[in-house]
PDB file of all heavy atoms in Angstrom:
ATOM      1  N   THR G  54      -3.117  -7.038   0.731  1.00  0.00           N
ATOM      2  CA  THR G  54      -3.858  -5.976   1.420  1.00  0.00           C
ATOM      3  C   THR G  54      -3.537  -5.979   2.905  1.00  0.00           C
ATOM      4  O   THR G  54      -3.344  -4.918   3.509  1.00  0.00           O
ATOM      5  CB  THR G  54      -5.376  -6.160   1.193  1.00  0.00           C
ATOM      6  OG1 THR G  54      -5.629  -6.175  -0.212  1.00  0.00           O
ATOM      7  CG2 THR G  54      -6.164  -5.038   1.837  1.00  0.00           C
ATOM      8  N   TRP G  55      -3.473  -7.164   3.510  1.00  0.00           N
ATOM      9  CA  TRP G  55      -3.103  -7.251   4.925  1.00  0.00           C
ATOM     10  C   TRP G  55      -1.726  -6.641   5.169  1.00  0.00           C
ATOM     11  O   TRP G  55      -1.494  -6.010   6.206  1.00  0.00           O
ATOM     12  CB  TRP G  55      -3.111  -8.701   5.401  1.00  0.00           C
ATOM     13  CG  TRP G  55      -4.445  -9.174   5.860  1.00  0.00           C
ATOM     14  CD1 TRP G  55      -5.276 -10.027   5.195  1.00  0.00           C
ATOM     15  CD2 TRP G  55      -5.137  -8.816   7.060  1.00  0.00           C
ATOM     16  NE1 TRP G  55      -6.426 -10.210   5.910  1.00  0.00           N
ATOM     17  CE2 TRP G  55      -6.370  -9.490   7.065  1.00  0.00           C
ATOM     18  CE3 TRP G  55      -4.826  -7.991   8.132  1.00  0.00           C
ATOM     19  CZ2 TRP G  55      -7.292  -9.378   8.093  1.00  0.00           C
ATOM     20  CZ3 TRP G  55      -5.736  -7.870   9.155  1.00  0.00           C
ATOM     21  CH2 TRP G  55      -6.953  -8.554   9.135  1.00  0.00           C
ATOM     22  N   ILE G  57      -0.433  -4.120   3.707  1.00  0.00           N
ATOM     23  CA  ILE G  57      -0.616  -2.661   3.805  1.00  0.00           C
ATOM     24  C   ILE G  57      -1.003  -2.280   5.222  1.00  0.00           C
ATOM     25  O   ILE G  57      -0.427  -1.372   5.815  1.00  0.00           O
ATOM     26  CB  ILE G  57      -1.677  -2.168   2.798  1.00  0.00           C
ATOM     27  CG1 ILE G  57      -1.158  -2.301   1.369  1.00  0.00           C
ATOM     28  CG2 ILE G  57      -2.085  -0.722   3.090  1.00  0.00           C
ATOM     29  CD1 ILE G  57      -2.202  -2.012   0.299  1.00  0.00           C
ATOM     30  N   THR G  58      -1.972  -2.996   5.779  1.00  0.00           N
ATOM     31  CA  THR G  58      -2.426  -2.657   7.140  1.00  0.00           C
ATOM     32  C   THR G  58      -1.365  -2.981   8.171  1.00  0.00           C
ATOM     33  O   THR G  58      -1.197  -2.231   9.139  1.00  0.00           O
ATOM     34  CB  THR G  58      -3.750  -3.366   7.483  1.00  0.00           C
ATOM     35  OG1 THR G  58      -3.573  -4.780   7.460  1.00  0.00           O
ATOM     36  CG2 THR G  58      -4.851  -2.967   6.510  1.00  0.00           C
ATOM     37  N   ASP G  59      -0.639  -4.079   7.989  1.00  0.00           N
ATOM     38  CA  ASP G  59       0.433  -4.426   8.920  1.00  0.00           C
ATOM     39  C   ASP G  59       1.487  -3.323   8.978  1.00  0.00           C
ATOM     40  O   ASP G  59       1.902  -2.889  10.051  1.00  0.00           O
ATOM     41  CB  ASP G  59       1.108  -5.742   8.522  1.00  0.00           C
ATOM     42  CG  ASP G  59       0.253  -6.967   8.778  1.00  0.00           C
ATOM     43  OD1 ASP G  59      -0.784  -6.849   9.473  1.00  0.00           O
ATOM     44  OD2 ASP G  59       0.613  -8.040   8.263  1.00  0.00           O
ATOM     45  N   VAL G  60       1.920  -2.884   7.803  1.00  0.00           N
ATOM     46  CA  VAL G  60       2.967  -1.855   7.748  1.00  0.00           C
ATOM     47  C   VAL G  60       2.434  -0.513   8.250  1.00  0.00           C
ATOM     48  O   VAL G  60       3.128   0.208   8.966  1.00  0.00           O
ATOM     49  CB  VAL G  60       3.552  -1.752   6.328  1.00  0.00           C
ATOM     50  CG1 VAL G  60       4.477  -0.556   6.191  1.00  0.00           C
ATOM     51  CG2 VAL G  60       4.293  -3.040   5.984  1.00  0.00           C
ATOM     52  N   ALA G  61       1.198  -0.181   7.916  1.00  0.00           N
ATOM     53  CA  ALA G  61       0.612   1.074   8.413  1.00  0.00           C
ATOM     54  C   ALA G  61       0.610   1.093   9.938  1.00  0.00           C
ATOM     55  O   ALA G  61       0.834   2.139  10.550  1.00  0.00           O
ATOM     56  CB  ALA G  61      -0.808   1.250   7.875  1.00  0.00           C
ATOM     57  N   GLY G  62       0.381  -0.056  10.547  1.00  0.00           N
ATOM     58  CA  GLY G  62       0.373  -0.145  12.002  1.00  0.00           C
ATOM     59  C   GLY G  62       1.736   0.053  12.641  1.00  0.00           C
ATOM     60  O   GLY G  62       1.825   0.294  13.842  1.00  0.00           O
ATOM     61  N   THR G  63       2.806  -0.022  11.851  1.00  0.00           N
ATOM     62  CA  THR G  63       4.158   0.161  12.389  1.00  0.00           C
ATOM     63  C   THR G  63       4.680   1.589  12.227  1.00  0.00           C
ATOM     64  O   THR G  63       5.772   1.890  12.708  1.00  0.00           O
ATOM     65  CB  THR G  63       5.165  -0.793  11.719  1.00  0.00           C
ATOM     66  OG1 THR G  63       5.354  -0.411  10.350  1.00  0.00           O
ATOM     67  CG2 THR G  63       4.722  -2.235  11.820  1.00  0.00           C
ATOM     68  N   LEU G  64       3.916   2.436  11.542  1.00  0.00           N
ATOM     69  CA  LEU G  64       4.384   3.803  11.310  1.00  0.00           C
ATOM     70  C   LEU G  64       4.464   4.568  12.628  1.00  0.00           C
ATOM     71  O   LEU G  64       3.654   4.340  13.529  1.00  0.00           O
ATOM     72  CB  LEU G  64       3.447   4.530  10.342  1.00  0.00           C
ATOM     73  CG  LEU G  64       3.414   3.998   8.910  1.00  0.00           C
ATOM     74  CD1 LEU G  64       2.348   4.740   8.100  1.00  0.00           C
ATOM     75  CD2 LEU G  64       4.774   4.128   8.254  1.00  0.00           C
ATOM     76  N   LYS G  68       2.236   9.651  11.719  1.00  0.00           N
ATOM     77  CA  LYS G  68       2.536   9.381  10.310  1.00  0.00           C
ATOM     78  C   LYS G  68       1.427   8.514   9.722  1.00  0.00           C
ATOM     79  O   LYS G  68       0.800   7.720  10.408  1.00  0.00           O
ATOM     80  CB  LYS G  68       3.891   8.681  10.161  1.00  0.00           C
ATOM     81  CG  LYS G  68       5.040   9.523  10.663  1.00  0.00           C
ATOM     82  CD  LYS G  68       5.100  10.852   9.945  1.00  0.00           C
ATOM     83  CE  LYS G  68       6.206  11.737  10.493  1.00  0.00           C
ATOM     84  NZ  LYS G  68       6.227  13.050   9.866  1.00  0.00           N
ATOM     85  N   ARG G  69       1.197   8.706   8.418  1.00  0.00           N
ATOM     86  CA  ARG G  69       0.090   8.006   7.769  1.00  0.00           C
ATOM     87  C   ARG G  69       0.543   7.360   6.467  1.00  0.00           C
ATOM     88  O   ARG G  69       1.558   7.737   5.898  1.00  0.00           O
ATOM     89  CB  ARG G  69      -1.049   8.985   7.486  1.00  0.00           C
ATOM     90  CG  ARG G  69      -1.618   9.594   8.754  1.00  0.00           C
ATOM     91  CD  ARG G  69      -2.722  10.560   8.487  1.00  0.00           C
ATOM     92  NE  ARG G  69      -2.201  11.744   7.794  1.00  0.00           N
ATOM     93  CZ  ARG G  69      -2.953  12.728   7.348  1.00  0.00           C
ATOM     94  NH1 ARG G  69      -4.249  12.694   7.495  1.00  0.00           N
ATOM     95  NH2 ARG G  69      -2.423  13.766   6.741  1.00  0.00           N
ATOM     96  N   MET G  70      -0.265   6.418   6.009  1.00  0.00           N
ATOM     97  CA  MET G  70      -0.056   5.783   4.715  1.00  0.00           C
ATOM     98  C   MET G  70      -1.163   6.274   3.795  1.00  0.00           C
ATOM     99  O   MET G  70      -2.344   6.092   4.088  1.00  0.00           O
ATOM    100  CB  MET G  70      -0.100   4.265   4.849  1.00  0.00           C
ATOM    101  CG  MET G  70       0.136   3.558   3.526  1.00  0.00           C
ATOM    102  SD  MET G  70       0.225   1.772   3.690  1.00  0.00           S
ATOM    103  CE  MET G  70       1.750   1.588   4.601  1.00  0.00           C
ATOM    104  N   LEU G  83     -10.258  -3.298   2.426  1.00  0.00           N
ATOM    105  CA  LEU G  83      -9.806  -2.549   3.602  1.00  0.00           C
ATOM    106  C   LEU G  83     -10.965  -2.266   4.552  1.00  0.00           C
ATOM    107  O   LEU G  83     -10.819  -2.363   5.775  1.00  0.00           O
ATOM    108  CB  LEU G  83      -9.132  -1.239   3.186  1.00  0.00           C
ATOM    109  CG  LEU G  83      -7.730  -1.381   2.595  1.00  0.00           C
ATOM    110  CD1 LEU G  83      -7.271  -0.055   2.009  1.00  0.00           C
ATOM    111  CD2 LEU G  83      -6.748  -1.884   3.640  1.00  0.00           C
ATOM    112  N   ILE G  86     -11.906  -5.619   6.357  1.00  0.00           N
ATOM    113  CA  ILE G  86     -10.984  -6.105   7.387  1.00  0.00           C
ATOM    114  C   ILE G  86     -10.829  -5.112   8.533  1.00  0.00           C
ATOM    115  O   ILE G  86     -10.119  -5.384   9.484  1.00  0.00           O
ATOM    116  CB  ILE G  86      -9.609  -6.493   6.803  1.00  0.00           C
ATOM    117  CG1 ILE G  86      -8.889  -5.300   6.189  1.00  0.00           C
ATOM    118  CG2 ILE G  86      -9.748  -7.620   5.809  1.00  0.00           C
ATOM    119  CD1 ILE G  86      -7.492  -5.612   5.693  1.00  0.00           C
ATOM    120  N   GLY G  87     -11.508  -3.994   8.437  1.00  0.00           N
ATOM    121  CA  GLY G  87     -11.535  -3.060   9.555  1.00  0.00           C
ATOM    122  C   GLY G  87     -10.279  -2.240   9.730  1.00  0.00           C
ATOM    123  O   GLY G  87      -9.708  -2.185  10.809  1.00  0.00           O
ATOM    124  N   SER G  88      -9.852  -1.579   8.682  1.00  0.00           N
ATOM    125  CA  SER G  88      -8.632  -0.762   8.748  1.00  0.00           C
ATOM    126  C   SER G  88      -8.909   0.635   9.305  1.00  0.00           C
ATOM    127  O   SER G  88      -8.010   1.460   9.371  1.00  0.00           O
ATOM    128  CB  SER G  88      -8.009  -0.630   7.362  1.00  0.00           C
ATOM    129  OG  SER G  88      -8.880   0.064   6.493  1.00  0.00           O
ATOM    130  N   GLY G  89     -10.131   0.888   9.759  1.00  0.00           N
ATOM    131  CA  GLY G  89     -10.510   2.218  10.216  1.00  0.00           C
ATOM    132  C   GLY G  89      -9.695   2.767  11.368  1.00  0.00           C
ATOM    133  O   GLY G  89      -9.540   3.966  11.520  1.00  0.00           O
ATOM    134  N   SER G  90      -9.130   1.899  12.189  1.00  0.00           N
ATOM    135  CA  SER G  90      -8.346   2.372  13.332  1.00  0.00           C
ATOM    136  C   SER G  90      -6.872   2.580  12.968  1.00  0.00           C
ATOM    137  O   SER G  90      -6.098   3.029  13.799  1.00  0.00           O
ATOM    138  CB  SER G  90      -8.450   1.375  14.481  1.00  0.00           C
ATOM    139  OG  SER G  90      -7.882   0.128  14.087  1.00  0.00           O
ATOM    140  N   LEU G  91      -6.511   2.280  11.739  1.00  0.00           N
ATOM    141  CA  LEU G  91      -5.122   2.419  11.305  1.00  0.00           C
ATOM    142  C   LEU G  91      -4.927   3.760  10.586  1.00  0.00           C
ATOM    143  O   LEU G  91      -5.882   4.334  10.069  1.00  0.00           O
ATOM    144  CB  LEU G  91      -4.740   1.278  10.367  1.00  0.00           C
ATOM    145  CG  LEU G  91      -4.724  -0.098  11.012  1.00  0.00           C
ATOM    146  CD1 LEU G  91      -4.591  -1.175   9.946  1.00  0.00           C
ATOM    147  CD2 LEU G  91      -3.592  -0.197  12.012  1.00  0.00           C
ATOM    148  N   PRO G  92      -3.678   4.225  10.529  1.00  0.00           N
ATOM    149  CA  PRO G  92      -3.404   5.503   9.848  1.00  0.00           C
ATOM    150  C   PRO G  92      -3.336   5.366   8.336  1.00  0.00           C
ATOM    151  O   PRO G  92      -2.330   5.677   7.717  1.00  0.00           O
ATOM    152  CB  PRO G  92      -2.061   5.915  10.456  1.00  0.00           C
ATOM    153  CG  PRO G  92      -1.376   4.621  10.735  1.00  0.00           C
ATOM    154  CD  PRO G  92      -2.484   3.678  11.153  1.00  0.00           C
ATOM    155  N   VAL G  93      -4.419   4.859   7.737  1.00  0.00           N
ATOM    156  CA  VAL G  93      -4.477   4.682   6.279  1.00  0.00           C
ATOM    157  C   VAL G  93      -5.459   5.696   5.718  1.00  0.00           C
ATOM    158  O   VAL G  93      -6.604   5.769   6.164  1.00  0.00           O
ATOM    159  CB  VAL G  93      -4.929   3.248   5.912  1.00  0.00           C
ATOM    160  CG1 VAL G  93      -5.064   3.111   4.404  1.00  0.00           C
ATOM    161  CG2 VAL G  93      -3.965   2.212   6.459  1.00  0.00           C
ATOM    162  N   VAL G  94      -5.004   6.472   4.757  1.00  0.00           N
ATOM    163  CA  VAL G  94      -5.853   7.481   4.115  1.00  0.00           C
ATOM    164  C   VAL G  94      -6.026   7.084   2.661  1.00  0.00           C
ATOM    165  O   VAL G  94      -5.039   6.953   1.919  1.00  0.00           O
ATOM    166  CB  VAL G  94      -5.199   8.879   4.200  1.00  0.00           C
ATOM    167  CG1 VAL G  94      -6.051   9.905   3.472  1.00  0.00           C
ATOM    168  CG2 VAL G  94      -4.970   9.280   5.648  1.00  0.00           C
TER     169      VAL G  94
END
Side-chain angles (χ1 to χ4, degrees):
T54 303
W55 274 106
I57 291 172
T58 62
D59 288 348
V60 171
T63 69
L64 294 175
K68 298 302 177 183
R69 298 179 293 175
M70 181 175 292
L83 286 170
I86 63 176
S88 64
S90 63
L91 294 169
V93 177
V94 177

